[in-house]
């Protein structure tokens, strides 16, 4: 009757429940592994403002039965590099990384890269091979595996090499079991769309058949790199408040408020403390637990905090968003909008949208939608995504658009925290603040499209109009002459001329 | 036997005069360097009123103006003038045209109608402008109904001028076409008119000699009565002073067939002489379905929706109408004229008709 | 002028005899303690053949047996016997009934038909069993067509026995109903029959005195010719020995209206005397659309599908038919009879008709 | 430019990403908290074969603004109890528990209860209160909170009391912020359906309005408690194999195979080792890493392993499944089936299904579906669930059923690992092995329904048939007499009698 109690490590937890992290079957595993590593590489290059150069190679090692093979995946970037002492943990320990701060990054759950390596290990038992340099005089090379029960890296080999050419970047190479041929369409679509929203990146992919896919950068102009930011008062809960109090140097609440929170100046801090009934002079570290709870609740109901600014976000900008679509489709018309920063539960976010018409956009009887979140293309579960729901709710006839027109829409949401509905990061939840912004963005570009379509229509209409008077007036003259039993048909030239003058006004 | 004054030649002269007047008006406007325009009563629903004195729909005071200076009007304006031109030729030469013929004839003048609905509508415009029904200027639809009974007519169509025909001469019924509607009435021994919705019953009435037994002129409306037939019934009622009884199926649609003969339709609010306000709807009533235990079908949703519309219609104010509408709603059943056949083929003539004509209403 | 031998009374006697024979057969079976049954040729599609000699569809040798001992047959068997009983009364009393009347009449015998489709089908069974068309036992549908021209007929219907009518007496055309179809032909001066699909053109032909100029009897089919009308054309062709020309719209449907008059339909494969194999389709041909540059519409997908069906139909083997089908497919256009109005209302009579009757085919 | 690397604890991870564990908003939080604790309680009672008695009380403490209130949730059970030394970790540490073994249990992700407490802490900062006894002489009482950063319990108070009445069970009481009134319909539906598939449980709920909901047990007969089982060879990966090798006492491969794996006897073990090319005498601990990988791959392709037996599973049984539905709906007809155990990826599972007709089942124009997994009702995302897809794919006319009939179907899947598609445990993925079993189960009960409906129909038909001959034959006689111009109508009684004899055969 006695029970056995035990603790498992987070690595063990994800090992046991790998399907919830996107590694549910051999096809999805290939897709997720490539995706997680590519996104880490993009983040690594952008964090130092360098246009990313990413090289991906997937090699088939051997068949392992039932349509599944062992592959070797190599992903190389020119990003910031990982300092030698952090390499083992960064690639051999779940929930270790540089992505837990409040800034925009792609891998918000902080376990993608290690999860891919972990999946490789449990399917092939082959160590991972990591090479990295931060651009200084040394290059470090590790062979690692993961002690899953302890969530610890096991270092099998460590080398240090001269870095004569000042190379900087990271190479990750490991083996995993998977099914590339079923994953292929999604993998290629993923890389293609990633290139669309990261037009400053070079992405090269050699697939197991030896085919080379190159997505060459269209520009070297980079968006400003995302910055880390202080927490916004609306997004703070009791736990976070305690952490902030613990780590502050401030001796009084006024200073604490101003130094700790995003966009809180002295006068706002004073007003708030008055509203909360807490003296500005109190030592934050001496607040009783119930006062901390009270403080947090008051923060959520205080109306005067400024909205977060977006310096911590890195949107694409209208030009980049357009450039990607133009490169892909050469449309007749394109319009884009970047909305002002907004906020949900204290997280700042920015919505960008573009609409394009004509060119190579397919006429598929419905609008073509591209979804992006923090520059990641979202490919699965389109119908559950908030953007799709919004597009469906819009009365497109109002914008002179019909389903058979070649129209494409791209929506990009960037935020310090994207409201994903699942760990698989495949679709965005229907948060009212976010969906309102998306709606406004799409409406805005739809109005631009409407103007374009109206202009085209108007020109055609004018041409048709001019001939109508010239056609009918002589007939009226002729029939009425006959009806009235007159001899001479009256002249209508003057009337026709008068119509033309009206047209030219 | 009675003799009646002929009237049809006079009418043709008036039509020709009206067409010429229209042409003169437009001609003068162009001569003065103006975009020609015409004005006519609006036929939009907010300008259609039920006139309880005339007991038909009429148009109100709202006018619409069609101007050749308006890009949205000029095409239909031109077609209207052409139509006037075309029907004047018809009338002068005493020929007829179907609505379909007219639709095609425009093409000779590089002026196609979009569809027949458009050309039909232009003809209605012309009716409104000159105040005559299209039958007066020899344009007819395809549908035909029939008549049977002791009435002698005298033709006015070319080649038959002065010829006479008695309308009992063909026991399948005599077709109501341009020749008949333009004929003058000469004499009749009948003392009533019975209008019948369906061909089967019309034939039965002829076979059972209803025209003789009841001294009646039988008119087959063949469903909703064509306008020429309504005009013909009107003339039977006014020129011959014969009371009119109408037999239809016992459902909202049959009831409305009777009503259109009696009080006309909103579509013809711009015209007179198409209605017969004193005509009587004699059956099949909802109460007949109950009293005669007729085989019946359930009213459909569409039927019931229609009944609700009729209940609000000003033409249906009368007591009889309201009672029958209520009964329909209560029993939720309908019956066809042929339903009487369940009591044998002659029952309707032997039992039902006499009771109805005696006016148990 | 010619005189013709009357034939209609003889036919009625034969029908009554056949009905009695059917009753006797069933009666005897029951007397012998057997479940009564009857046998008749199957009308299913796999038993319908085109007979090139008769130039119409006929039924093959396959028989079906209806037995009162079969739970699935007994209701329709009973209704068939009732129908025979009912029409014998009709015929004996020289009354007519519509298909609809017959549907209701069954209710008096606690034997409702599900719908009119069922009762129509039972009547076709009876036609098959006794080998006479329902018009011979006085059951008619509602549709009516018309005739006009110099033909004198003598009625056989009660109250009109011996009365005569010349079919030019009403210039709107004379309705083809039970009285006319049961009448005998007395004399005619015509030397041809022209059958016309649409009422507008029929009226035009009367107005333009085509019957006189071309010595013709004009028959209005009003779309697909009703069977009574086809039987009437057959009699004009056989009893009066008049050639028949058919004018229809220029599309697969018009073409088929002509074909059904000429060679009949598969639905009437169990009957004779409804077809006129020597009748000629004179227009509107696909080649006419080209030669006369007629206003035309595009063939729809349904039209084209229909053409493909006709191309495979054994009745359409002839050279003319195949040529016109091919031309339709090539030009992908169709035209109505009224389309000639673009050249003026009289063009069809003045130009087109003479060319056609002279047989440029 | 330098990056900051850090490790976060699993508690911290779930704190940051609580929406993926079912705590995304105040309404859902109430639902998830009740659900996680109730399921723990059911497991705790069943594991010792005791009919569960569960008492739930939700009390509103105060409004905290914007429609949200602070509630106190108390859940008490008569289960196995938690040994004193494990209480702090079991309720104050994420990824600690007794549910990581291979047996059927409800909380497969092993973080639900602690997650609820963690959510309560971050929204109210109030400690949790745990009272438990395993039925021995002492009752232990703790006040706890969670050190989220370290994933450690903080013990605020510990008491030990005499257990004079030998009470056994666990009481969990804590506060959380939530919105009960929006959650209410789902909470009540959840409890109702839980009662349907756990008819041996008493569930009592006092809601914040003070209303008492009692779901009284319909039976005291319990299904056999689920047993722990050895891993099946098909479900083993490299990582697990290494763990098994590490912990075995066996000195040779043959013994290792037989002792370690589920349903592997000597002869199967021998055949397999031959197939894998590994000597039965080899010491498992001396296998080289590549040999371990090879062993695992061979295990997946070997055809002769026996399917897992279901002794580790605890299905409801046909009678219990029926009993629940009968209690709820009093249907005219009911049929149930328990399928034989089957397996996917080495996990044994059993599908049970019931169909019911008439009674109080609503006619809603579609079949009413109840879904259960390991005795948990599944309420969200019905349309994505495999059972719903299967019901939609069936041609119900074949079974004489139409959408307007009052039909209810219940499907229960039990397994050592339910293939959930999300952490929210709300719908089951479309695994071919599982969906085939569900299809067969539903088809089986549908055929039973068909027989019932056919029998009803047949009786009505016979009645109608008998009168037809009696109605028509006299008419035929009458009309033919008239047609043939005879006087006497022939007698048809004999014919009618002959028909009747045929009918009786």
């Amino acid at each position: 009757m006695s029970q056995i109690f035990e603790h498992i490590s987070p690595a063990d937890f994800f090992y046991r429940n790998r399907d919830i992290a996107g590694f549910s079957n051999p096809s999805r595993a290939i897709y997720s592994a490539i995706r997680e590593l590519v996104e880490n590489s993009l983040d690594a290059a952008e964090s130092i403002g360098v246009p990313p150069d990413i090289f991906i190679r997937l090699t088939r090692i051997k068949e392992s039965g039932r349509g599944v093979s062992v592959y070797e995946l190599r992903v190389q970037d020119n990003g910031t590099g990982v300092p030698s002492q952090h390499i083992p943990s960064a690639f051999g320990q779940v929930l270790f990384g540089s992505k837990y701060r409040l800034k925009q990054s792609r891998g918000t759950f902080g376990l993608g890269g290690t999860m891919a390596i972990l999946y490789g290990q449990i399917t092939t038992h082959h160590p991972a091979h990591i090479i990295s340099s931060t651009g200084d005089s040394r290059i470090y090379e590790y062979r690692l595996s993961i002690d899953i029960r302890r969530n610890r890296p096991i270092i099998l080999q460590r080398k240090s090499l001269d870095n004569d050419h000042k190379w900087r970047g990271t190479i990750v190479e490991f083996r995993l079991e998977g099914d590339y041929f079923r994953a292929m369409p999604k993998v290629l679509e993923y890389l293609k769309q990633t290139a669309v929203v990261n037009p400053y990146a070079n992405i090269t992919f050699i697939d197991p058949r030896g085919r080379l896919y190159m997505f060459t950068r269209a520009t070297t102009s980079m968006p400003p790199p995302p910055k880390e930011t202080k927490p916004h008062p609306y997004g703070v809960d009791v736990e976070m408040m305690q952490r902030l109090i613990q780590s502050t140097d401030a001796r009084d609440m006024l200073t604490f408020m101003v130094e700790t929170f995003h966009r809180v100046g002295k006068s706002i801090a004073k007003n708030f403390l008055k509203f909360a009934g807490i003296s500005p002079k109190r030592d934050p570290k001496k607040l009783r637990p119930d006062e901390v709870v009270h403080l947090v609740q008051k923060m959520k109901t205080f109306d005067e905090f400024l909205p977060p600014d977006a310096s911590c976000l890195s949107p694409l900008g209208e030009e980049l968003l357009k450039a990607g679509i133009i490169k892909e489709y050469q449309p007749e018309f394109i319009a884009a909008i970047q909305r002002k920063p907004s906020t949900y539960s204290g997280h700042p976010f920015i919505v960008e949208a573009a609409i394009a018409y004509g060119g190579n956009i397919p006429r598929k009887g419905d609008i073509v939608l591209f979804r992006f979140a923090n520059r990641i293309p979202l490919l699965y579960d389109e119908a559950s995504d908030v953007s799709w729901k919004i597009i469906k709710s819009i009365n497109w006839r109002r914008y002179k658009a019909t389903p058979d027109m070649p129209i494409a829409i791209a929506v990009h949401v960037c935020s310090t925290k994207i409201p994903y509905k699942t760990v698989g990061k495949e679709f965005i939840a229907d948060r009212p603040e976010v969906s309102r912004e998306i709606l406004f963005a799409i409406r805005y570009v739809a109005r631009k499209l409407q103007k374009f379509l109206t202009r085209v229509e108007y020109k055609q209409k004018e041409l048709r109009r001019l001939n109508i008077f010239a056609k009918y007036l002589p007939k009226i003259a002729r029939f009425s002459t006959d009806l009235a039993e007159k001899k001479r048909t009256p002249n209508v030239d003057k009337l026709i001329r008068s119509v033309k003058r009206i047209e030219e006004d | 036997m009675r003799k009646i004054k002929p009237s049809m030649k006079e009418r043709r002269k008036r039509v020709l005069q009206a067409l010429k007047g229209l042409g003169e008006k437009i001609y003068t406007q162009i001569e003065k360097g103006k975009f020609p325009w015409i004005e006519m009563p609006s036929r939009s629903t907010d300008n259609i009123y039920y006139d309880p004195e005339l007991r038909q729909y009429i148009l109100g005071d709202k006018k619409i103006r069609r101007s050749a200076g308006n890009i949205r009007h000029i095409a239909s304006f031109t077609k209207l003038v052409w139509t006037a031109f075309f029907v004047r030729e018809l009338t002068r030469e005493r020929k007829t045209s179907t609505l379909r013929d007219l639709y095609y004839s425009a093409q000779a003048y590089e002026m196609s109608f979009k569809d027949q609905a458009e050309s039909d509508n232009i003809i209605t415009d012309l009716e409104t402008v000159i105040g005559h029904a299209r039958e007066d200027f020899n344009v007819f639809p395809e549908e035909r109904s029939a008549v049977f009974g002791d009435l002698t007519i005298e033709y006015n169509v070319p080649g038959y001028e002065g010829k006479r025909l008695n309308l009992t001469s063909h026991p399948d019924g005599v077709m109501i076409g341009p020749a008949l509607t333009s004929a003058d009435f000469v004499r009749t021994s009948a003392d009533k008119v019975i209008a019948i919705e369906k061909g089967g019953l019309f034939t039965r009435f002829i076979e059972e000699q209803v025209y003789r037994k009841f001294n009646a002129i039988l008119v087959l409306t063949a469903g909703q009565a064509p306008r020429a037939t309504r005009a013909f019934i009107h003339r039977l009622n006014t020129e011959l002073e014969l009371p009119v009884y109408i037999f239809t199926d016992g459902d909202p649609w049959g009831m409305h067939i009777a009503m259109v003969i009696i009080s006309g339709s909103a579509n013809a609010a711009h015209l007179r002489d198409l209605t017969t306000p004193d005509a009587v709807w004699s059956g099949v009533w909802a109460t007949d379905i109950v009293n005669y235990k007729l085989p019946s079908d359930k009213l459909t949703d569409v039927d019931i929706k229609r009944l609700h519309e009729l209940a609000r219609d000003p033409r249906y104010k009368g007591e009889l109408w309201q009672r029958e509408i209520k009964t329909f709603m209560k029993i939720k059943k309908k019956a066809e004229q042929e339903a009487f056949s369940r009591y044998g083929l002659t029952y309707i003539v032997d039992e039902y008709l006499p009771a109805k004509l005696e006016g148990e209403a």
Side-chain angles (χ1 to χ4, degrees), chain A residues 343-364:
Chain A
T343 169
Y344 77 93
S345 314
H347 301 290
F349 70 95
I350 291 177
V351 168
E352 298 171 289
I355 201 164
Y357 176 91
N360 303 328
I361 298 168
R363 289 169 191 268
K364 52 165 208 168

Side-chain angles (χ1 to χ4, degrees), chain A residues 1 3-10 12-20 24 47-48 62 64-66 70 80-83 86 90 93-101 108-111 121-126 146 148-149 151 177 228 234 237-240 242-244 246-247 289-290 292-293 297 300-303 417 420-423 431:
Chain A
M1 289 286 163
Q3 294 170 279
I4 297 159
F5 285 88
E6 64 179 321
H7 174 75
I8 60 168
S9 78
D12 209 352
F13 175 79
F14 286 108
Y15 156 64
R16 289 165 193 247
N17 298 292
R18 54 193 178 263
D19 32 8
I20 70 174
S24 44
S47 70
I48 49 170
K62 62 171 176 181
S64 61
R66 308 195 182 190
V70 172
T80 175
V82 182
H86 290 312
Q93 185 176 353
V94 167
L95 308 186
F96 180 94
S98 62
K99 292 185 176 178
Y100 299 106
R101 299 299 163 137
T108 48
F109 289 109
L111 51 84
Q121 175 174 322
I122 63 177
T123 54
T124 69
H125 199 64
H126 200 82
I146 305 173
I148 294 174
R149 287 218 231 189
N151 192 23
E177 224 179 55
E228 198 182 326
Y234 287 148
D237 57 37
V238 175
E239 171 71 16
M240 190 187 291
Q242 283 185 311
R243 294 186 190 185
L244 294 168
Q246 232 165 51
S247 59
D290 63 308
V292 173
V293 175
Q297 278 167 0
K300 294 211 166 133
T301 50
F302 185 63
D303 287 338
K417 184 169 172 67
Y420 288 117
K421 249 168 138 174
T422 64
V423 196
R431 292 268 191 159

